């Protein structure tokens, strides 16, 4: 019987990092790839990016909709409850030999909790990192404590996972997936990018991303206003704002 390796993805933020590994698993002899898709992948508000996963040639084993239509604390708690129920059912049906979870999002934490209850080993990628001011850090360290294999992207993070009590023989510093993926990324020429966006960049251009401090309450509007005021006085600069993640 082939080894069943299940990958969990709850958003395109971690899917972009996981995709090359999933392709390698898909072509590996003696291994069956399973894919569980959830979270913002299944929400129209976030682009229904499950279509991208399937468009990349991956057969989705299970779709678990956690009705991610609001980011209020009560709504997220409700989604986490739905996730715990749905992920447990999916794992019971798929019976993977190991599940791969990346990062620190609450969907990933909930999947890790379900896998722990189902007694399925977890391989955790990007453990040991620090995200100051974000609830993600608590989720990440919690996932590490529920995991059996750890793949960190720097030696400092490897040491931190070991400090959490994990056995050094099961913690591996494998480097940054994002940096590795960039090496194989097809880059557009500047003119092609400008045409796609309908946005001439000019001489000076800023790419700006604001990410809220999720451990604080109702501070995002004021902080974003401060950001706008900081860039308002700049002259002869074109600006591109992205959404968080």
């Amino acid at each position: 019987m082939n080894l069943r390796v299940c990958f969990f993805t709850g958003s395109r933020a971690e899917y972009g990092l996981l995709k090359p590994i999933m392709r390698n698993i898909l072509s590996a002899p003696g291994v069956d790839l399973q894919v569980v898709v959830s979270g913002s992948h299944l929400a129209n508000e976030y682009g229904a990016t499950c279509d991208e996963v399937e468009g990349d040639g991956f057969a989705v084993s299970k779709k678990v909709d956690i009705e991610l239509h609001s980011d209020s604390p009560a709504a997220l708690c409700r989604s986490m409850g739905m996730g715990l129920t749905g992920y447990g059912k999916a794992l019971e049906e798929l019976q993977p030999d190991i599940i791969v979870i990346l990062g620190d999002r609450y969907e990933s934490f909930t999947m890790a909790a379900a896998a722990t209850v189902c007694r399925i080993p977890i391989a955790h990628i990007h453990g040991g990192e620090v995200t100051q001011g974000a609830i993600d850090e608590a989720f990440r360290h919690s996932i590490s404590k529920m995991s059996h294999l750890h793949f960190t992207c720097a030696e400092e993070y490897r040491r931190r996972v070991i400090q959490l009590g994990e056995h050094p023989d099961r913690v591996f510093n494998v480097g940054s997936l994002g940096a590795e993926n960039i090496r194989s990324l097809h880059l557009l020429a500047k003119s092609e990018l400008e045409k796609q966006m309908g946005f001439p960049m000019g001489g000076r251009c800023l790419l700006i991303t604001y990410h809220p401090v999720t451990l604080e309450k109702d501070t995002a509007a004021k902080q974003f206003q401060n950001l706008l005021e900081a860039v308002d006085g700049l002259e002869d600069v074109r600006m591109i704002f992205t959404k968080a993640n």
Side-chain angles (χ1 to χ4, degrees):
M1 181 181 294
N2 287 349
L3 181 72
R4 296 183 298 271
V5 180
C6 181
F7 280 72
F8 172 77
T9 175
S11 78
R12 66 178 185 177
E14 98 266 296
Y15 171 66
L17 296 171
L18 288 172
K19 182 165 61 173
I21 305 176
M22 292 166 62
R23 283 184 174 147
N24 288 335
I25 293 293
L26 191 62
S27 61
V31 180
D32 291 333
L33 174 68
Q34 298 175 334
V35 182
V36 175
V37 170
S38 186
S40 61
H41 280 303
L42 303 177
N44 290 329
E45 297 91 330
Y46 298 98
T49 47
C50 182
D51 294 342
E52 293 184 17
V53 178
E54 294 174 318
D56 287 332
F58 299 114
V60 174
S61 309
K62 293 290 179 183
K63 298 178 182 179
V64 182
D65 189 0
I66 58 174
E67 298 185 10
L68 190 61
H69 306 306
S70 170
D71 60 359
S72 71
L76 293 182
C77 287
R78 178 176 179 272
S79 293
M80 289 174 72
M82 293 181 65
L84 191 59
T85 300
Y87 301 152
K89 183 179 179 181
L91 293 174
E92 186 176 49
E93 294 176 2
L94 293 174
Q95 289 294 308
D97 295 301
I98 191 167
I99 182 164
V100 180
I101 298 175
L102 185 148
D104 53 16
R105 286 180 59 87
Y106 60 88
E107 307 101 312
S108 300
F109 165 79
T110 309
M111 173 54 96
T116 299
V117 172
C118 294
R119 296 184 293 279
I120 297 170
I122 300 168
H124 185 212
I125 302 173
H126 275 289
E129 299 176 21
V130 173
T131 313
Q132 293 183 354
I135 196 171
D136 301 350
E137 181 170 354
F139 285 147
R140 180 190 293 111
H141 294 336
S142 298
I143 296 170
S144 289
K145 289 305 300 177
M146 291 186 278
S147 299
H148 302 77
L149 296 174
H150 308 267
F151 300 96
T152 69
C153 72
E155 188 59 30
E156 175 186 354
Y157 305 148
R158 177 180 179 271
R159 290 196 298 268
R160 185 171 290 120
V161 171
I162 294 171
Q163 286 174 340
L164 289 172
E166 300 306 296
H167 196 287
D169 290 348
R170 293 187 282 108
V171 188
F172 307 92
N173 173 17
V174 296
S176 168
L177 288 179
E180 184 175 337
N181 292 351
I182 287 173
R183 298 178 64 181
S184 60
L185 191 66
H186 171 69
L187 299 177
L188 296 175
K190 182 179 177 181
S191 58
E192 294 176 293
L193 182 59
E194 289 177 324
K195 183 178 180 181
Q196 278 200 9
M197 295 193 301
F199 185 91
M201 293 187 184
R204 298 177 64 205
C205 187
L206 292 179
L207 179 65
I208 303 171
T209 300
Y210 169 76
H211 200 296
V213 182
T214 51
L215 283 178
E216 297 179 354
K217 188 175 181 180
D218 300 328
T219 59
K222 175 61 177 176
Q223 291 170 359
F224 193 73
Q225 183 61 42
N226 291 340
L227 172 60
L228 293 178
E229 291 174 1
V231 300
D232 185 52
L234 298 177
E235 297 181 358
D236 300 322
V237 176
R238 306 279 289 175
M239 303 179 194
I240 301 171
F241 286 82
T242 78
K243 294 182 74 174
N245 273 336

